[in-house]
Amino acid sequence: MVKLTIDNKTVEVPEGSTIMDAANIAGIPIPKLCFLKDINEIGACRVCVVEIEGKEKLVASCNNQVEEGMVVYTNSPKVRRNRKKTVEMILSQHNSNCATCARNRNCSLQTITRDLNILDVPYEKELYPLPWNKNFPLIRDADKCIKCMRCIQVCDKIQSVKIWDVEGTGSRTGVYVSGNRKIEESDCVLCGQCITHCPVGALRERDDTEKAWWAIENKKKVTVVQVAPAVRAAWGEVFGIPKEEATMGKIADALKRIGFDYVFDTVFSADLTIMEEGNEFVERFKKGDTKQMPMFTSCCPGWIRFVKSQYPHLVSRLSTAKSPQQMFGAVMKSYFAKKIGVAPEDMVTVSIMPCVAKKGESNMELFYEEYAGKDVDIVLTTRELTRMIRMAHIDPKTLKDVPCDEPMKDGTGAGVIFGTTGGVMEAALRSAYYLIKGVNPDVDAFEEVRSSREQPKWKEALFKIDDITVRTVVVNGLANTRELIEALEKGDVHYDFVEVMACPGGCVGGGGQPIKDGYELATDRSVNLRQLDENAPLRFSHENPSVLKLYEEFMEKPLSHKAHMLLHTDHNAWEMPQVNR
Amino acid sequence: MSRLEIPVPDKAQTVVEQLYKDLERRIEASPLGLCPIDMTKAFLELCHAQTCGKCVPCRVGLRQLKNMISDVLNGRATMETLDEMKETAVSIMETADCAIGYEAANMVYKGLVGFYDEYVAHIELGRCNCTYKQPVPCVSLCPAGVDIPGYIALVLEGRYQDAIRLIRKDNPFPTTCGFICEHPCEARCRRNMVDDAVNIRGLKRMAADLAGKVAPPACQPSTGKKVAIVGGGPGGLSAAYYLQLMGHQVVVYEMLPKLGGMLRYGIPNYRLPKDRLDDDINAILETGVQVKHGLRIGIDITINELREQYDAVLITIGASTDKKLGIDGEDANGVISAVKFLLDVGKDAAIDLKGQEVCVVGGGNVSMDAVRTAVRLGAKKVSIVYRRRVADMTALHDEIEGAIAEGVEVQTLKAPVRIETEDGNVKGLWVQPQMISEIKGGRASVKSTGEPEVLLPCTTVIVAIGQDIESKHFADAGVPVNRGVIQTGRHGGFDLLPGVFAGGDCATGPATVIKAIGAAKVIAANIDEYLGFHHIIQSDVEVPQPNLADRNPCGRVNMTEREACERICDFDGVELPMTEAECKQEASRCLRCDHFGYGVFKGGRKTLW
């Protein structure tokens, strides 16, 4: 332990603690902008500087360690004066049109400016906007970027995709797409982790709320919306609703009040995915197809973009099943459209997703008999959902639990955990066991695959079903995934079935989720989804009555010709920029 | 009142003079990878501030040039802008009244020619594709990428053994380099911006002095692969060390009786005491490297035989033959190449120079080694004969000074024309007086003054004008060779000769020890890959956190030397160590660029390779 004094308070902290950690222990939060624990500890913004007795120069508290007997001032006149100057400098190069910024009232720079009571910036405003393709699902406003470097570090370290880099030198140093590329020509997987780790509004998703309002307004269009499992675990954070009260039923109420005609829960199509993907896996496994290389899940579009750009030779190892979002869209425009007697071209399918990559995924044109269109027309993130709730000036306190619409009303606990790392695998194994044995396993039989954001590298689990052993592994975060693939290719490890989620912690930590700077909420949200599964009346996808009815009335059976046409896809049907590494 | 006045320095001017000095040091430490166009603009602003304002081209034209460069940087320029810039620069060069104007325009013009592609890239992309290439200046400039801030921090804490362990991750010759490394690491040390570069080489020497014997790390499990290395110099032995650590069995073929190559047989003992060289070599051998002495490649064994017997072969034969002057009388008795001269000294078979007069031709480090050795062998008079000026010599400044202190005469601006002989023995060296002339390719050239030739009387002429490579056998065996230099790919191997690699002086021409070590690292890694492995070399030494003390200006501790009159009587080491107090102070001057600045963000520390 190291003993030191911070703001006249004596504290004892473990050796190797940073000054910032020590201050936190002493109950003194030091203001900061660029710092991101374990990812970006580079002392770039100089906002967290502190004064150390006997030293002339101020020291960054985020990446310098405490010393025995050190006397630290986090708020001396010198510190306060300099911190203010530094923030004024940042503001001089920041587009501070806060009123029209997606991060208004959720911006670390805005907060710190208020906290330092900066009412006037003495410097000339110098903005350096750069052109950007506004049709791309990821939008960057260069003149809001404060060069904290977090996006670069998150993309490098967590995702290993390296989309962002420092560009230019000297006073012209900035952040841009690496290698002089344009974003649309890059191998950006659209995970959106750079967005959720941006302290300001320099990065955001393309806002598609106006498209949704247009569809709602248009009398000729029937609007059908689905809500992904991970959304319910996070949307309440924005409105300060406790997690047990922030239910799917209230989201359904909000969406109805916003004006959507039909509301569904993506949990239904998660169960449907299990029917297709589970059957596909059992079939491929039995054929010996997974002896050399495993089958990979295909529900995460960030992962699909990753594998297509980095390991194109592994595309054939992906499940051919569409993601739950796309499956639901296809079901809406075929089965459901017929049911309600609406032509698919008059239907606008909308999805609320914790994800930015889903905006990219929905872009593919498909065929429904003679009609060509998209499975899902408009994809909104959880953040856009909360913005629509605000736009409709709905008081969240007045929301009530309302059920989803028929005939796809049901969802199981297995479908709910699709939103967390390990959940797809667990749901698939529950049903695969049933497929092989004809009876249900203990519902917790596969708890070993339950993973988390904090899980190092990946989580493997071997399951014996009679005399067969199924080797499974669950991985989240693309840097971990890259390591796993390299281990698989070297032959260091071998698995039959691999679940990949691009975002840390799975969809709960998705790039479209609400942002709380400095906090990683994925694990809390995972716990929420797991509790929902635990309390669910049905916990096996193959027992979902709506799904069974869909097969009975329309799809015939899993992997049927019709299912193939509507619920499966050709991952080679579209191009992803290739990258040589 | 008074007809004339004694000028008193203006206070502002005094400060500006100091700032000029600060700027000089700052430019010296300028990092690599900066945008050359942005730098041109900065230079131009300085130049423009220097204009007296009398003449139009300088007062107005430089500003217009700056505006156009700004347009390039701001993405507002077209290719026409470049044409206009060129015309404007040329016009200023041709019309300005004084150098303030025409030399400023010339700087811009040089850039327009020299980095035209960068200009075009800025215009076409509307972006700058330059990136900062020097997060930690010393490490970036060390050919072997030694973790310099890391070991300096360890020295500061008195953890000398750990410092040696950390250095060995990238360089198995810590002691040797502590004595004789040319320390390219110091050139752009950021400490220059405060006062002066850190004495990095000196601190390495102190780590080696104070650490005592440090055992090498354990080898990784044996791979069963065998690698032959031809030549036991610094490059060959470095590669041997890393390959052995990776688990391969290395056999070094050395034709001389002892290992070390030029370190033993080229560099005199007074610069690198041989017992200290043995400290490094013994640690390398401790890993299990085997050595076969006395076999000459191409005579006793061929490269193709080695290829058959081993899984990979590395050629590190160095550059150990001499270059000839090509003048009359060169074959007389008493003419000797510096390489041969120093080799004989290294073998304890030095020629007797007592009472003789010696001329050493050349101005490089080998020449300095030769003159200072000649002094120690008892020569009556030793002279350096050099075509250019002292300032043009390629030898390290300290070596030249050391030689002069030891009584060596320096005959500059004298080009050897022929050797005067009598009965086949050297009687003197005829030289043609030269005058310094035009600067060509950045270097001052010389031309004859037209005065009559001068005879420098002497009995021994030592030729130190460069070294060659004995590459004929390899060329005959199909190794690509150009002008004697072995031509490898950037990986150190050959496309048409799989499994054969080459590095060090024989593949680059004569260079420095640290460059050979750097090449050895690259090649060891690539041989490992070639053999089908991906072994990792790393060190488990943890680098201390930087101390947070202010870095107030403080003089650099330089190494001191033994008195000249005493040291010329023996071959013992000349350089004296720092005291421990000096060592600590010097280590505390390090700015820890691995932690403060860009290094903490990107490229600060490579913990493994």
Side-chain angles (χ1 to χ4, degrees):
Chain A
M1 296 297 273
V2 177
K3 205 172 184 177
L4 72 160
T5 311
I6 306 179
D7 296 347
N8 303 315
K9 244 185 185 173
T10 304
V11 274
E12 253 190 284
V13 297
E15 210 171 310
S17 303
T18 63
I19 298 170
M20 186 182 275
D21 287 341
N24 272 332
I25 291 169
I28 302 164
I30 297 176
K32 54 187 181 284
L33 269 180
C34 70
F35 174 78
L36 203 56
K37 186 128 194 76
D38 299 329
I39 302 215
N40 199 43
E41 303 182 346
I42 63 170
C45 69
R46 314 309 292 170
V47 168
C48 75
V49 289
V50 295
E51 186 173 355
I52 297 173
E53 202 165 81
K55 302 197 191 334
E56 197 60 37
K57 290 199 168 62
L58 300 182
V59 166
S61 61
C62 68
N63 68 353
N64 287 300
Q65 296 186 0
V66 294
E67 287 165 19
E68 184 64 38
M70 198 180 232
V71 178
V72 179
Y73 298 99
T74 73
N75 199 23
S76 64
K78 183 169 170 177
V79 170
R80 208 163 42 236
R81 198 165 55 238
N82 283 297
R83 189 174 286 148
K84 195 169 168 188
K85 271 273 153 271
T86 302
V87 174
E88 286 168 355
M89 288 176 200
I90 295 170
L91 288 169
S92 77
Q93 294 193 346
H94 177 76
N95 175 349
S96 316
N97 288 335
C98 299
T100 55
C101 180
R103 293 291 293 275
N104 188 19
R105 302 188 65 195
N106 184 17
C107 166
S108 298
L109 180 59
Q110 197 183 43
T111 306
I112 207 162
T113 303
R114 181 201 63 197
D115 291 354
L116 292 169
N117 196 29
I118 296 174
L119 303 174
D120 210 4
V121 175
Y123 306 115
E124 194 184 328
K125 195 92 179 171
E126 287 182 314
L127 298 179
Y128 303 101
L130 285 169
W132 194 264
N133 177 356
K134 294 285 167 66
N135 291 319
F136 197 70
L138 177 81
I139 305 286
R140 180 167 187 272
D141 281 330
D143 61 7
K144 286 184 185 162
C145 174
I146 60 166
K147 284 96 180 166
C148 70
M149 314 296 181
R150 283 191 195 176
C151 52
I152 299 175
Q153 300 266 46
V154 166
C155 199
D156 285 10
K157 292 180 180 168
I158 305 274
Q159 301 298 53
S160 75
V161 185
K162 303 185 177 173
I163 290 304
W164 305 111
D165 203 355
V166 177
E167 183 170 286
T169 64
S171 68
R172 294 163 186 278
T173 305
V175 175
Y176 211 63
V177 184
S178 57
N180 274 303
R181 298 174 295 174
K182 289 183 178 153
I183 189 69
E184 60 272 24
E185 292 161 1
S186 78
D187 52 331
C188 172
V189 301
L190 286 173
C191 68
Q193 289 301 311
C194 54
I195 299 176
T196 51
H197 291 88
C198 180
V200 295
L203 290 162
R204 62 177 171 88
E205 73 278 44
R206 183 187 66 216
D207 187 287
D208 291 323
T209 55
E210 277 310 315
K211 289 179 202 156
W213 288 118
W214 169 86
I216 290 164
E217 199 180 328
N218 195 321
K219 290 280 179 291
K220 281 195 196 127
K221 300 287 181 189
V222 173
T223 52
V224 188
V225 62
Q226 57 169 314
V227 183
V231 175
R232 71 206 59 187
W235 74 286
E237 294 160 11
V238 175
F239 299 109
I241 308 174
K243 63 179 177 191
E244 45 296 340
E245 289 170 31
T247 57
M248 172 58 207
K250 284 183 182 165
I251 300 175
D253 188 20
L255 291 168
K256 288 269 179 177
R257 282 163 69 176
I258 283 167
F260 287 103
D261 297 315
Y262 297 93
V263 179
F264 294 109
D265 188 343
T266 310
V267 168
F268 161 82
S269 56
D271 287 329
L272 182 59
T273 302
I274 288 301
M275 297 302 283
E276 293 298 324
E277 195 167 350
N279 274 287
E280 181 189 355
F281 172 68
V282 171
E283 201 172 87
R284 284 169 83 159
F285 179 81
K286 280 184 176 163
K287 271 200 298 198
D289 176 67
T290 62
K291 280 212 171 93
Q292 297 300 319
M293 280 299 261
M295 184 178 105
F296 292 95
T297 55
S298 59
C299 40
C300 170
W303 152 239
I304 303 290
R305 292 176 71 88
F306 180 79
V307 77
K308 276 177 71 88
S309 58
Q310 323 281 316
Y311 302 97
H313 60 284
L314 293 181
V315 169
S316 65
R317 305 310 311 161
L318 290 165
S319 161
T320 60
K322 284 182 186 170
S323 71
Q325 162 178 282
Q326 298 297 100
M327 279 199 189
F328 215 145
V331 170
M332 285 167 179
K333 288 198 176 173
S334 55
Y335 171 68
F336 181 63
K338 264 202 186 111
K339 269 226 142 117
I340 59 169
V342 171
E345 58 265 41
D346 289 332
M347 182 178 276
V348 176
T349 51
V350 181
S351 68
I352 314 290
M353 293 283 143
C355 181
V356 180
K358 293 276 174 198
K359 283 183 191 272
E361 185 191 30
S362 71
N363 232 6
M364 249 201 307
E365 293 266 322
L366 300 150
F367 287 91
Y368 307 102
E369 293 163 353
E370 60 279 6
Y371 159 74
K374 295 172 179 175
D375 282 341
V376 176
D377 297 303
I378 302 167
V379 179
L380 304 172
T381 62
T382 311
R383 293 188 294 269
E384 286 168 281
L385 165 69
T386 62
R387 296 208 287 269
M388 284 189 80
I389 293 175
R390 283 213 173 99
M391 288 163 88
H393 58 89
I394 294 168
D395 179 355
K397 283 202 289 290
T398 65
L399 290 170
K400 301 267 181 305
D401 278 316
V402 305
C404 290
D405 287 296
E406 291 287 3
M408 299 168 292
K409 198 161 127 190
D410 304 308
T412 73
V416 171
I417 54 173
F418 254 64
T420 174
T421 177
V424 173
M425 180 61 76
E426 185 171 355
L429 289 170
R430 286 181 196 168
S431 290
Y433 185 94
Y434 175 81
L435 281 174
I436 295 167
K437 298 276 287 180
V439 290
N440 279 345
D442 172 41
V443 77
D444 291 321
F446 306 105
E447 64 181 342
E448 221 183 306
V449 297
R450 290 176 196 168
S451 187
S452 73
R453 185 183 199 279
E454 289 71 31
Q455 171 69 36
K457 293 191 178 179
W458 53 80
K459 189 151 192 192
E460 62 169 27
L462 272 55
F463 297 108
K464 272 199 170 322
I465 303 178
D466 289 343
D467 55 342
I468 48 173
T469 302
V470 183
R471 289 162 295 185
T472 70
V473 68
V474 165
V475 63
N476 70 79
L478 292 172
N480 291 337
T481 305
R482 188 185 295 282
E483 261 193 75
L484 175 64
I485 290 179
E486 259 140 49
L488 277 166
E489 295 208 304
K490 263 195 226 160
D492 295 347
V493 292
H494 180 75
Y495 302 104
D496 298 303
F497 196 9
V498 182
E499 178 209 284
V500 185
M501 294 196 189
C503 289
C507 313
V508 284
Q513 294 280 56
I515 300 165
K516 190 172 178 191
D517 191 10
Y519 293 84
E520 296 296 349
L521 298 170
T523 302
D524 287 351
R525 295 168 186 159
S526 283
V527 170
N528 189 348
L529 291 188
R530 294 210 175 277
Q531 275 165 359
L532 290 174
D533 171 38
E534 221 169 279
N535 299 333
L538 292 174
R539 298 183 67 188
F540 293 94
S541 295
H542 55 268
E543 291 180 351
N544 181 326
S546 301
V547 168
L548 295 174
K549 197 161 132 205
L550 171 72
Y551 279 115
E552 194 186 306
E553 291 182 4
F554 191 73
M555 294 286 179
E556 294 156 24
K557 60 181 194 320
L559 308 182
S560 69
H561 177 70
K562 202 155 202 172
H564 258 296
M565 296 308 288
L566 290 169
L567 306 181
H568 289 255
T569 187
D570 173 7
H571 295 296
N572 289 314
W574 57 282
E575 294 285 320
M576 179 76 194
Q578 300 288 305
V579 170
N580 295 319
R581 277 175 206 273
Chain B
M1 272 212 316
S2 50
R3 192 158 64 103
L4 294 173
E5 277 184 4
I6 296 162
V8 247
D10 168 315
K11 194 178 158 211
Q13 189 55 37
T14 313
V15 176
V16 168
E17 294 296 336
Q18 283 169 12
L19 295 180
Y20 285 154
K21 290 271 173 274
D22 293 345
L23 188 62
E24 270 174 36
R25 286 190 279 101
R26 202 176 175 90
I27 287 178
E28 212 174 298
S30 196
L32 302 176
L34 299 177
C35 171
I37 300 169
D38 201 23
M39 288 313 283
T40 303
K41 181 173 169 243
F43 292 148
L44 192 53
E45 292 205 32
L46 177 71
C47 296
H48 197 211
Q50 291 175 321
T51 185
C52 74
K54 186 195 79 173
C55 311
V56 174
C58 183
R59 185 185 70 240
V60 184
L62 292 183
R63 173 184 290 277
Q64 292 306 340
L65 271 181
K66 194 191 85 188
N67 291 344
M68 285 185 275
I69 293 184
S70 300
D71 284 348
V72 172
L73 289 166
N74 294 333
R76 289 198 299 260
T78 62
M79 293 304 286
E80 284 73 50
T81 315
L82 288 191
D83 296 339
E84 187 54 54
M85 275 180 70
K86 212 170 208 169
E87 281 176 31
T88 308
V90 170
S91 173
I92 299 168
M93 282 155 69
E94 289 171 351
T95 58
D97 205 17
C98 83
I100 294 176
Y102 54 72
E103 283 305 320
N106 192 16
M107 280 173 69
V108 176
Y109 184 80
K110 279 184 196 164
L112 278 166
V113 177
F115 37 85
Y116 183 75
D117 293 347
E118 294 288 341
Y119 275 103
V120 173
H122 273 74
I123 288 168
E124 284 177 351
L125 293 165
R127 297 159 71 173
C128 172
N129 56 11
C130 301
T131 46
Y132 201 77
K133 292 201 178 104
Q134 198 181 293
V136 185
C138 50
V139 180
S140 312
L141 291 171
C142 174
V146 173
D147 186 348
I148 294 158
Y151 81 72
I152 292 182
L154 292 163
V155 167
L156 182 63
E157 293 210 340
R159 290 165 57 191
Y160 306 113
Q161 296 223 337
D162 281 345
I164 296 300
R165 285 190 194 102
L166 183 63
I167 295 169
R168 281 197 189 140
K169 171 173 77 70
D170 304 290
N171 173 1
F173 282 96
T175 308
T176 302
C177 286
F179 277 89
I180 50 96
C181 187
E182 291 210 15
H183 51 79
C185 51
E186 292 178 26
R188 282 163 193 252
C189 175
R190 200 169 295 156
R191 183 80 199 195
N192 262 313
M193 294 191 182
V194 182
D195 40 43
D196 199 352
V198 172
N199 187 348
I200 299 172
R201 202 264 300 163
L203 287 170
K204 187 183 313 201
R205 150 119 201 239
M206 292 317 298
D209 278 8
L210 297 167
K213 187 174 148 44
V214 182
C219 295
Q220 299 182 45
S222 171
T223 60
K225 300 284 182 188
K226 282 168 66 189
V227 182
I229 295 182
V230 184
L237 289 178
S238 298
Y241 175 76
Y242 292 120
L243 287 166
Q244 194 74 31
L245 288 183
M246 290 170 182
H248 312 302
Q249 180 57 55
V250 177
V251 181
V252 175
Y253 286 79
E254 173 55 62
M255 61 176 187
L256 288 165
K258 286 183 166 181
L259 290 171
M262 278 293 170
L263 298 175
R264 187 178 302 277
Y265 297 108
I267 294 173
N269 195 77
Y270 67 84
R271 278 219 285 146
L272 172 61
K274 295 301 165 288
D275 55 331
R276 302 303 303 277
L277 169 64
D278 287 336
D279 290 348
D280 286 337
I281 293 177
N282 289 339
I284 292 168
L285 294 179
E286 232 179 280
T287 60
V289 171
Q290 293 171 6
V291 187
K292 287 193 178 170
H293 282 290
L295 289 174
R296 286 160 303 168
I297 303 302
I299 299 167
D300 303 318
I301 188 163
T302 67
I303 180 83
N304 285 327
E305 282 166 348
L306 289 176
R307 287 186 71 193
E308 282 162 24
Q309 291 168 25
Y310 293 88
D311 298 299
V313 179
L314 169 58
I315 307 162
T316 48
I317 52 165
S320 52
T321 62
D322 52 315
K323 269 204 165 81
K324 300 264 185 270
L325 280 168
I327 57 174
D328 282 348
E330 202 170 354
D331 49 2
N333 286 328
V335 181
I336 183 171
S337 79
V339 175
K340 171 84 167 56
F341 171 67
L342 294 169
L343 174 69
D344 289 343
V345 176
K347 284 193 199 161
D348 292 326
I351 53 168
D352 187 13
L353 290 178
K354 279 205 185 65
Q356 302 222 29
E357 289 180 66
V358 181
C359 282
V360 177
V361 181
N365 282 320
V366 176
S367 169
M368 300 309 137
D369 289 342
V371 289
R372 297 178 72 177
T373 299
V375 168
R376 283 164 176 74
L377 291 174
K380 186 170 76 184
K381 180 183 176 191
V382 181
S383 313
I384 299 165
V385 180
Y386 186 53
R387 292 167 64 198
R388 294 186 168 88
R389 303 162 302 177
V390 171
D392 304 311
M393 288 183 176
T394 55
L396 288 173
H397 179 73
D398 287 351
E399 287 301 309
I400 301 169
E401 250 189 12
I404 293 170
E406 288 169 8
V408 170
E409 298 287 344
V410 185
Q411 293 273 7
T412 54
L413 295 168
K414 307 246 174 349
V417 277
R418 64 184 178 282
I419 291 162
E420 182 71 28
T421 58
E422 194 180 71
D423 305 329
N425 296 318
V426 174
K427 242 189 92 188
L429 176 64
W430 283 99
V431 293
Q432 171 63 55
Q434 305 285 306
M435 64 182 280
I436 203 74
S437 181
E438 263 179 82
I439 293 175
K440 289 176 188 162
R443 201 170 180 210
S445 62
V446 283
K447 63 182 183 192
S448 169
T449 58
E451 292 167 281
E453 291 168 2
V454 178
L455 178 68
L456 306 174
C458 61
T459 48
T460 301
V461 173
I462 299 175
V463 182
I465 56 163
Q467 288 141 258
D468 269 337
I469 299 153
E470 255 177 298
S471 51
K472 191 175 174 303
H473 166 68
F474 299 98
D476 294 344
V479 174
V481 172
N482 183 18
R483 294 180 175 197
V485 181
I486 294 174
Q487 306 289 312
T488 69
R490 288 190 63 177
H491 63 301
F494 309 96
D495 292 341
L496 297 175
L497 288 171
V500 180
F501 296 79
D505 283 1
C506 70
T508 58
T512 58
V513 175
I514 193 67
K515 273 193 184 150
I517 294 167
K521 258 180 78 177
V522 171
I523 295 164
N526 290 334
I527 289 178
D528 189 50
E529 290 287 314
Y530 169 77
L531 297 174
F533 299 91
H534 314 276
H535 288 104
I536 297 291
I537 298 290
Q538 59 191 337
S539 157
D540 56 2
V541 175
E542 219 169 285
V543 174
Q545 286 293 311
N547 76 64
L548 301 175
D550 291 324
R551 263 58 172 185
N552 295 322
C554 172
R556 163 187 160 120
V557 175
N558 285 327
M559 309 303 269
T560 56
E561 294 184 340
R562 289 165 60 210
E563 261 191 310
C565 65
E566 174 202 311
R567 71 195 190 214
I568 57 169
C569 302
D570 57 46
F571 275 89
D572 293 347
V574 159
E575 187 184 83
L576 297 170
M578 295 179 192
T579 64
E580 245 188 294
E582 287 176 314
C583 177
K584 289 266 149 67
Q585 176 180 305
E586 191 57 19
S588 74
R589 292 179 67 238
C590 174
L591 296 180
R592 288 298 301 266
C593 301
D594 59 323
H595 179 81
F596 299 108
Y598 200 83
V600 75
F601 171 35
K602 280 191 175 197
R605 171 153 291 117
K606 265 199 195 137
T607 54
L608 49 87
W609 57 271

